[in-house]
Amino acid sequence: MSDPQPIPSCCGTAPPAPGGSNPFVNGLWKQNPVFVQVLGMCPTLAITNSVRNALAMGLATTFVLASSNTLISMVRKLVPKQVRIATYIAIIATSVTVVDYLVKAASISVYKALGPFIPLIVANCIILERAEGFASKKPVFASLLDGLGMGLGFAFALTCLGSVREILGAGTFLGVPLFGSHFEPWVLFLLPPGGFISLALWLVTFTTFRQIKARRAARAAAAAAETVPAGQLVEVRS
Amino acid sequence: MSTPVPPAHAQPSMANAIRMIRVLGVVSLLCGVFIAGAHVTTLERIRHNHEVILRSSVAELLPGATREVIYGVEPSGELTILSDIEEGGSRFFAGYDASGKFLGVVVEASGRGYADVISAMYSYSPEKREITGFKVVDMKETPGLGSRIGTDPDFLANFKALDASLGHPITTVKHGTKKNPWEIDAISGATISSRAVGRMLEASASKMAPVIARNLNRIEQGN
């Protein structure tokens, strides 16, 4: 049940966190925890067999990220370095326990569907990574935005996976049947292999998209460079 | 974490240690307060959710029931009326319609399925000595295969009038070979889950049906 080690460059193309950009957009898109950083794979694969579960898990994680980031940023100057990880874990575990109660209060059926994955949010490496990598160094408001951005980015990614799996695997979206009674559900997509397949498809889509964008940017930069030292470039081309 | 050794100008290590203990102590205390607060504020709501789910399942299995009485079964076989739906242990629900007529009972049953414990509820008519309805409450059976025990209309049709008079044990038979009223026609492709249902109904009915039969007068009056 352990999450993969946080290896930020595991998909080869993850750019380093740009310092100046808006932390909210950064988490939601540029550094999307699932599609770019490929973190938190355990819940990503396990509970995305329906859109409802994916959304619930995403929002629960968002709550934990936002609250733990905010609290950690508030205490960041008071905590001695040696016990900072222990303090972060205590704060994260508290947020997770609170979320556990909140989900139970909101809906028992969602709580049952998510099973052990709500308590396991505490082990989701995105959370500790954001605590150590962002909230422990940045002011409170920026940390809150970062937590919200990362959390909603996670929720967005889970919902993407959940949509593919629920539509193909059950023929429904949020429980509403999409096709007639003749639709034969592709049950594979509700089973674990379907999680891997749809994750792979989404990762391919996102990586291709990013590569095209990077190539276009490189070409634009090259074109801009071409116009200035024109003499040299003619030689290169021939 | 490769924490660097504190620089030489740091305070004596004793003071450092006290500071760490203080910070961790205060943080843990505050965390405890938060958790306790969350627990207290959501307690009533969670209880309410459990109750709604149970009551709606009972109403689904006993159509027309407008009032339920929860009976707890003591180890001695004695019945007690439970006022709190949260109270666990062995129990069943007796359902009555608007005029107070006794309709039947709903019993909870659970048993080991293919993936995890299947928990379910079934309605039992003491008068006909039959199981009259079945509903899966919680399961983790394989989606699309075992999970059909909760949705497959042909499978659920087994429980419209399943003989639970205990003359013969309730058994699950291979798909398409059901001949007797105490047999359950398995779902082909979900034999293990189907068998689990048969086993848990047999175990539960053989335990509860005699208790219910013994106390039938009392249950019919709802006291």
Side-chain angles (χ1 to χ4, degrees):
Chain A
M1 284 293 183
S2 67
D3 279 305
Q5 287 301 306
I7 309 164
S9 59
C10 51
C11 57
T13 44
S21 72
N22 180 342
F24 183 72
V25 180
N26 189 37
L28 198 60
W29 191 253
K30 285 187 191 151
Q31 284 287 307
N32 186 292
V34 174
F35 292 141
V36 181
Q37 303 188 65
V38 200
L39 290 180
M41 286 301 103
C42 198
T44 303
L45 291 165
I47 52 87
T48 52
N49 49 15
S50 77
V51 176
R52 193 182 66 152
N53 291 356
L55 267 175
M57 185 66 189
L59 294 180
T61 311
T62 306
F63 177 90
V64 172
L65 264 167
S67 59
S68 66
N69 259 13
T70 311
L71 290 171
I72 287 167
S73 175
M74 278 157 113
V75 300
R76 71 186 190 280
K77 287 183 181 144
L78 305 171
V79 178
K81 242 186 150 51
Q82 296 90 331
V83 291
R84 70 186 192 288
I85 300 290
T87 314
Y88 300 164
I89 291 288
I91 291 173
I92 293 167
T94 307
S95 308
V96 172
T97 313
V98 170
V99 139
D100 197 63
Y101 285 124
L102 290 180
V103 174
K104 234 190 273 181
S107 163
I108 300 280
S109 61
V110 169
Y111 181 77
K112 279 187 177 158
L114 296 183
F117 289 98
I118 295 262
L120 277 176
I121 294 177
V122 80
N124 189 327
C125 46
I126 304 166
I127 315 236
L128 191 58
E129 193 256 329
R130 290 332 282 170
E132 172 74 358
F134 196 97
S136 64
K137 301 180 186 105
K138 297 278 163 62
V140 175
F141 187 62
S143 301
L144 171 65
L145 279 185
D146 178 76
L148 283 176
M150 283 288 165
L152 292 176
F154 189 65
F156 164 71
L158 258 56
T159 311
C160 287
L161 257 94
S163 320
V164 170
R165 294 181 67 183
E166 190 181 334
I167 290 172
L168 294 178
T172 58
F173 186 82
L174 276 170
V176 181
L178 293 181
F179 313 106
S181 54
H182 295 293
F183 179 75
E184 185 61 40
W186 197 358
V187 176
L188 174 75
F189 270 87
L190 292 184
L191 301 176
F196 284 101
I197 293 171
S198 26
L199 177 66
L201 293 177
W202 278 111
L203 282 179
V204 166
T205 314
F206 265 74
T207 314
T208 317
F209 178 74
R210 252 201 341 266
Q211 279 173 346
I212 291 174
K213 216 171 139 196
R215 219 172 292 148
R216 217 175 272 160
R219 219 176 290 149
E226 252 176 61
T227 53
V228 189
Q232 286 179 338
L233 279 156
V234 174
E235 282 170 29
V236 173
R237 275 188 178 174
S238 62
Chain B
M1 292 291 138
S2 59
T3 315
V5 184
H9 67 265
Q11 299 140 323
S13 60
M14 192 61 191
N16 248 342
I18 289 174
R19 180 157 173 254
M20 281 182 230
I21 293 169
R22 207 174 51 208
V23 168
L24 271 181
V26 170
V27 167
S28 324
L29 188 75
L30 289 178
C31 289
V33 170
F34 270 121
I35 292 174
H39 177 68
V40 170
T41 31
T42 53
L43 194 64
E44 190 47 45
R45 173 94 201 146
I46 292 171
R47 218 191 72 87
H48 174 77
N49 282 348
H50 274 295
E51 185 163 337
V52 165
I53 287 193
L54 273 176
R55 292 223 186 261
S56 68
S57 307
V58 171
E60 200 180 306
L61 287 167
L62 288 177
T66 53
R67 189 173 74 89
E68 300 96 27
V69 175
I70 313 166
Y71 287 101
V73 181
E74 302 284 321
S76 61
E78 283 292 297
L79 292 191
T80 49
I81 293 184
L82 303 180
S83 55
D84 189 347
I85 207 148
E86 284 287 275
E87 275 177 59
S90 185
R91 59 178 184 177
F92 62 88
F93 304 81
Y96 308 87
D97 70 5
S99 63
K101 189 173 162 278
F102 173 61
L103 295 171
V105 299
V106 171
V107 188
E108 292 166 298
S110 62
R112 170 116 214 130
Y114 181 69
D116 200 350
V117 171
I118 302 172
S119 46
M121 292 173 108
Y122 63 91
S123 48
Y124 171 77
S125 158
E127 187 194 350
K128 293 186 228 158
R129 306 176 82 190
E130 275 174 356
I131 286 172
T132 55
F134 173 79
K135 180 183 154 65
V136 175
V137 178
D138 192 24
M139 64 169 163
K140 295 195 171 52
E141 303 298 280
T142 320
L145 296 170
S147 72
R148 276 151 60 203
I149 57 167
T151 52
D152 191 304
D154 292 338
F155 184 68
L156 295 177
N158 281 311
F159 309 105
K160 282 191 182 133
L162 181 70
D163 184 355
S165 58
L166 307 177
H168 305 269
I170 299 169
T171 40
T172 305
V173 295
K174 214 174 146 224
H175 180 65
T177 60
K178 174 182 160 99
K179 284 191 200 74
N180 300 307
W182 58 85
E183 285 172 348
I184 299 172
D185 191 12
I187 301 175
S188 83
T191 322
I192 296 179
S193 308
S194 308
R195 278 200 196 126
V197 172
R199 267 200 314 273
M200 74 187 179
L201 288 182
E202 165 61 21
S204 168
S206 57
K207 187 169 144 237
M208 291 302 230
V211 177
I212 292 165
R214 240 190 346 263
N215 295 286
L216 193 56
N217 279 337
R218 187 181 160 192
I219 298 169
E220 273 174 350
Q221 277 149 30
N223 58 23

